Amino acid sequence: MKNNDKKYFWLANGVGLMGIIMFFAPIIWPIDMYDGGGAMIFIGIFLAICGPIISLLFWHRMRVFDELKDETKLIVRWQYDQYLWESFVQEEISFRTGEQKWMQLVVLFFCVVIGGIFWLADPEPGRWVLLVLLGINILIALIVWLNNRAVTGWKNSRQVECRINDNGLIINNQLHVWRGWGARLENVRDSRNKIHLLEITYSTPSRYSRQYYTIRIPIPTAAEKNLPTVLKTISALI
């Protein structure tokens, strides 16, 4: 398993260091305050503050990742054979495609209605409003396509495993953290469709409310007998 957050931790610290250099540059070198020097100081202060704060976020994620490598602290460590993993990936693609298509249709409907109202009310600027809204839908469709393409790439993963502890989980080298920085665990349940799944929902603070994430995890057949204990242990964390 590779801790990808380490590179972002050092990158964020590098941004903070760059901010400090930008702050002191107009003071050390003859850079006119009215010819870019003042802007450099302002941007430098911003980067010098934001860089370390963001690095602390990635430090927390790094620590959770390293804790998940300690097998003595795990609630779950499930390993998948290639057949189960490929079946899950195909199921996940179908699930996400259906969910995202519905959301895209809803967004498209409201964009057309709102854009159409602007167009009818004032055709000259209204058509540009409609075009911008339709452009947003094209951008959303592109993001969805890229996301689904990334999920399709999971099929090529080998020796996949899932590790869960009190603070988060790793599945296919993807880290999810539900403790710290305002994150919290919301719900855990199992569901049966084509594949028996463990579904864990957690939330993180967003600008006006909370952002919710549901992680779907395939359950190996050999692990099903211990599932009630797993559900009870994770539910106690809520």
Side-chain angles (χ1 to χ4, degrees):
M1 294 187 297
K2 185 179 180 181
N3 194 340
N4 293 317
D5 288 305
K6 285 184 178 179
K7 61 183 178 183
Y8 299 119
F9 169 77
W10 291 112
L11 180 62
N13 278 305
V15 169
L17 179 60
M18 184 185 299
I20 294 172
I21 294 171
M22 290 179 68
F23 174 78
F24 283 107
I27 301 172
I28 298 172
W29 292 288
I31 302 174
D32 194 306
M33 288 294 180
Y34 297 99
D35 192 21
M40 285 184 68
I41 290 176
F42 178 78
I43 295 171
I45 292 172
F46 177 77
L47 296 179
I49 294 173
C50 292
I53 292 174
I54 295 171
S55 73
L56 288 174
L57 170 62
F58 286 114
W59 176 82
H60 175 66
R61 288 176 58 85
M62 285 165 51
R63 187 169 60 84
V64 173
F65 190 99
D66 289 338
E67 288 175 354
L68 281 160
K69 293 193 290 186
D70 184 353
E71 296 188 14
T72 63
K73 297 180 180 180
L74 293 180
I75 298 171
V76 155
R77 185 190 178 190
W78 292 336
Q79 295 174 311
Y80 303 106
D81 60 62
Q82 201 61 31
Y83 175 76
L84 174 57
W85 180 247
E86 289 182 0
S87 299
F88 165 70
V89 172
Q90 191 59 48
E91 169 73 12
E92 188 71 1
I93 292 169
S94 300
F95 173 79
R96 293 193 183 197
T97 300
E99 189 178 58
Q100 290 163 350
K101 278 185 177 179
W102 171 248
M103 291 179 64
Q104 282 181 273
L105 287 172
V106 171
V107 173
L108 179 61
F109 171 77
F110 282 106
C111 284
V112 170
V113 170
I114 294 170
I117 291 172
F118 273 95
W119 195 4
L120 290 172
D122 195 341
E124 186 59 31
R127 65 181 179 183
W128 292 110
V129 173
L130 179 59
L131 286 173
V132 168
L133 291 174
L134 292 176
I136 291 172
N137 276 271
I138 293 172
L139 180 61
I140 292 172
L142 177 62
I143 293 171
V144 168
W145 178 78
L146 290 171
N147 182 52
N148 288 338
R149 186 178 180 184
V151 175
T152 303
W154 292 358
K155 283 186 176 181
N156 300 322
S157 302
R158 297 292 183 270
Q159 298 179 334
V160 180
E161 66 176 12
C162 174
R163 293 172 177 239
I164 303 175
N165 69 5
D166 292 355
N167 298 316
L169 68 85
I170 297 172
I171 182 168
N172 194 30
N173 210 47
Q174 296 176 57
L175 176 65
H176 298 272
V177 179
W178 53 66
R179 182 171 292 177
W181 288 76
R184 69 180 182 222
L185 195 61
E186 298 287 351
N187 187 40
V188 58
R189 70 186 185 96
D190 69 315
S191 65
R192 288 182 179 270
N193 197 353
K194 294 180 180 178
I195 299 174
H196 196 181
L197 298 171
L198 178 67
E199 297 183 351
I200 297 177
T201 300
Y202 69 96
S203 67
T204 57
S206 63
R207 186 172 181 180
Y208 298 111
S209 58
R210 298 188 67 82
Q211 182 72 42
Y212 291 82
Y213 306 88
T214 297
I215 314 304
R216 291 157 42 94
I217 304 160
I219 302 171
T221 303
E224 290 186 348
K225 60 182 179 182
N226 296 322
L227 186 59
T229 302
V230 171
L231 288 169
K232 183 177 179 181
T233 303
I234 299 176
S235 294
L237 302 173
I238 300 174

